[in-house]
Amino acid sequence: MQKVLVVEDEEVLQMLIVDTLEDIEGVEIHTADNGMEALAQLSKESYNLVLLDYMMPGMTGIEVLGHLDAALKNSTPILMLTAKAQELDRKRAISAGARYFMPKPFSPLELLQIVEGILSDEG
């Protein structure tokens, strides 16, 4: 069973992401509503993929990445989801440790295809 952690502070968007991904066979979806919750879960569990919101109150996705050790960032692919789609934001996310970057808004089908591709590559 592969595990995916969805870190998104907007409840409706988090539900959309979970609803989209729960149809992938053999995948267990976990959620976190903010950066602190994400760090707590990442310290206890290992995940095959983390979908991480860039802009969250309290602790941004970039700040979450700053708290993760290099080994975790190397072993766990991180897909940064963001409304900040400028090239500088993409570079900032990648240099902080995100392996993938997806601008919002996105289509659920596109998200599903990307996540399935990442999970099969990391597999």
Side-chain angles (χ1 to χ4, degrees):
M1 178 73 65
Q2 291 184 304
K3 290 193 287 189
V4 174
L5 177 62
V6 176
V7 185
E8 173 60 62
D9 63 303
E10 293 181 42
E11 185 179 353
V12 172
L13 188 52
Q14 186 186 90
M15 287 177 6
L16 172 72
I17 294 168
V18 170
D19 287 348
T20 300
L21 301 182
E22 65 187 3
D23 290 335
I24 303 174
E25 187 139 348
V27 173
E28 185 178 295
I29 311 294
H30 297 238
T31 60
D33 299 329
N34 58 58
M36 292 303 290
E37 210 176 293
L39 290 174
Q41 289 193 43
L42 287 163
S43 71
K44 294 185 296 196
E45 300 251 3
S46 59
Y47 293 91
N48 301 90
L49 174 62
V50 176
L51 280 69
L52 181 61
D53 186 16
Y54 193 111
M55 295 296 295
M56 295 181 288
M59 181 182 290
T60 68
I62 297 294
E63 291 168 331
V64 170
L65 290 172
H67 287 281
L68 299 178
D69 65 37
L72 190 139
K73 287 189 270 193
N74 286 333
S75 66
T76 306
I78 297 167
L79 170 61
M80 184 72 72
L81 302 172
T82 182
K84 296 172 70 68
Q86 302 296 322
E87 183 62 20
L88 177 62
D89 299 314
R90 190 188 73 73
K91 286 181 180 175
R92 195 173 286 146
I94 300 298
S95 69
R99 221 178 285 175
Y100 306 93
F101 186 88
M102 186 169 190
K104 295 178 190 176
F106 49 81
S107 83
L109 179 60
E110 182 184 13
L111 177 66
L112 182 63
Q113 291 170 336
I114 288 171
V115 168
E116 286 178 328
I118 293 169
L119 290 174
S120 68
D121 288 349
E122 302 294 329

